[in-house]
Amino acid sequence: AQPRLCSDPNAPPTAEHRGKPAAIETRGEPMSRQQTVHITNGCVSLDDAGFVEVSFKRGAHPNLEDAREVVDAVDELTGRGRKAPLLVNLARQLGHSPEARSYYADNDRANELVCKVGLLAESLVAQVLGNSYVKIKNPRPPTRLFRNREEAISWLTEPGA
């Protein structure tokens, strides 16, 4: 079977891929390579630029178990306990459950793995969801909302990240 890219989070993970890093895969952008962990409702990837990206399947409503899978995948990809910037693509998903949002904002382990968070919100619905999360939950790592992927990546990978 051909490895799936994180840009295809709608493909269901197989038993072979769920929770395990896939081989390093090319994203299709020049010189961009990444390692990917396929989770139940999407995938988590470590880009060669040093940031971790989370993408969910179309129509997903991530819950507490999904949040735990994301944190486990980030830990696995970054080398167990090393902080990394995180890009969360809010496209396609319907918003996280209250339990998942609380887990990301309040869980010590989740916050020990992330140095800053960029929320990619290209649609109006995603922008409302992202703004609500930032204002209500006040997450510990610096968190910003972006409408443009390149701007988010630039902020996440700037020196001092």
Side-chain angles (χ1 to χ4, degrees):
Q2 179 116 358
R4 290 182 316 274
L5 302 178
C6 193
S7 59
D8 184 18
N10 290 310
T14 62
E16 165 189 4
H17 286 112
R18 182 177 287 128
K20 297 180 184 172
I24 293 180
E25 303 167 345
T26 303
R27 277 181 58 105
E29 293 141 7
M31 302 296 291
S32 179
R33 294 172 58 78
Q34 63 184 5
Q35 270 189 305
T36 300
V37 174
H38 298 277
I39 59 175
T40 303
N41 281 312
C43 52
V44 182
S45 299
L46 176 63
D47 192 272
D48 65 348
F51 67 90
V52 175
E53 181 172 2
V54 179
S55 294
F56 289 96
K57 295 177 186 177
R58 184 172 313 285
H61 184 66
N63 59 28
L64 179 58
E65 186 55 37
D66 294 314
R68 288 181 177 142
E69 284 187 60
V70 167
V71 171
D72 288 345
V74 169
D75 197 18
E76 179 73 27
L77 289 168
T78 60
R80 301 284 180 203
R82 192 181 60 124
K83 283 190 175 230
L86 183 69
L87 176 63
V88 180
N89 190 335
L90 299 177
R92 298 186 292 262
Q93 53 121 341
L94 299 176
H96 287 70
S97 72
E99 297 83 10
R101 290 190 304 267
S102 291
Y103 183 79
Y104 289 131
D106 302 329
N107 182 275
D108 288 336
R109 180 167 174 244
N111 286 289
E112 288 168 2
L113 297 173
V114 177
C115 58
K116 58 167 79 171
V117 178
L119 301 174
L120 181 58
E122 295 172 327
S123 73
L124 183 57
V125 171
Q127 291 168 27
V128 169
L129 292 171
N131 275 323
S132 297
Y133 171 73
V134 172
K135 289 181 178 169
I136 294 169
K137 286 298 178 185
N138 193 23
R140 283 186 250 169
T143 303
R144 285 187 51 192
L145 190 70
F146 294 90
R147 294 182 187 154
N148 177 285
R149 180 180 177 76
E150 289 74 27
E151 289 175 16
I153 292 171
S154 177
W155 180 73
L156 288 169
T157 58
E158 69 188 9

